Amino acid sequence: MQAIGATGALAVAGCLGGESQANTEKNEPAAEDDGLPAAKSVDVDRIARDPTDIPPPVDWDEPREHDVTIRTERVTAEIEPGVTFEYMTFEGEVPGPMLRVRRGDRVNLTFDVPDDLNMAAHNMDFHAVYGPGGGADATTIAPGDDPA
């Protein structure tokens, strides 16, 4: 998959569904008679990407080619104590990583999607990219598509 970037950033967040709640007073999972499923075990302590994690300004004058592989990962995290949510992330955090390129650079994007997550379309949100929807046609992969 290829997209042409112009000082772009990729940032994606997704979700697979289903939040759960727990009895926060006793710090125990909610009872089945509450009608809510119990909170799931969390995979990470922090789901939000550090907002200061920004790549440095570009330091090149001529167009370059960038090979970028983005790994899709399902992660369960707490929204608040005792309340969990199952996220579909890129690189394990929300939003996905930021990539800084300059006008005229070429970005070769490859999705690394495990088979168990290959049930829905995936795409990246590229800001300042040429084409309808920020190049969405060039950055969308459907279930069963070749991720390269």
Side-chain angles (χ1 to χ4, degrees):
M1 215 178 268
Q2 297 177 346
I4 298 172
T7 311
L10 43 132
V12 172
C15 57
L16 289 175
E19 68 181 77
S20 302
Q21 291 187 341
N23 183 339
T24 54
E25 290 178 19
K26 297 180 183 177
N27 201 20
E28 296 174 358
E32 287 299 317
D33 60 6
D34 289 347
L36 299 172
K40 296 181 180 183
S41 299
V42 297
D43 300 320
V44 294
D45 292 329
R46 179 186 170 116
I47 189 72
R49 181 169 298 280
D50 180 352
T52 63
D53 184 16
I54 299 172
V58 299
D59 62 355
W60 57 90
D61 296 328
E62 298 296 320
R64 289 186 176 179
E65 188 165 323
H66 306 271
D67 294 320
V68 178
T69 298
I70 300 294
R71 180 178 39 93
T72 303
E73 186 178 345
R74 184 186 323 225
V75 176
T76 302
E78 271 191 325
I79 296 173
E80 63 180 51
V83 180
T84 58
F85 191 82
E86 199 169 70
Y87 295 85
M88 183 181 68
T89 68
F90 290 115
E91 299 299 323
E93 295 179 305
V94 175
M98 179 178 173
L99 172 69
R100 196 178 292 213
V101 298
R102 59 178 287 129
R103 185 176 184 175
D105 284 2
R106 180 180 192 95
V107 177
N108 300 311
L109 176 63
T110 301
F111 287 114
D112 180 1
V113 182
D115 288 338
D116 66 327
L117 295 181
N118 197 9
M119 61 195 135
H122 296 74
N123 96 310
M124 303 301 294
D125 181 5
F126 279 83
H127 298 276
V129 172
Y130 178 74
D137 282 346
T139 64
T140 299
I141 182 171
D145 284 352
D146 182 6

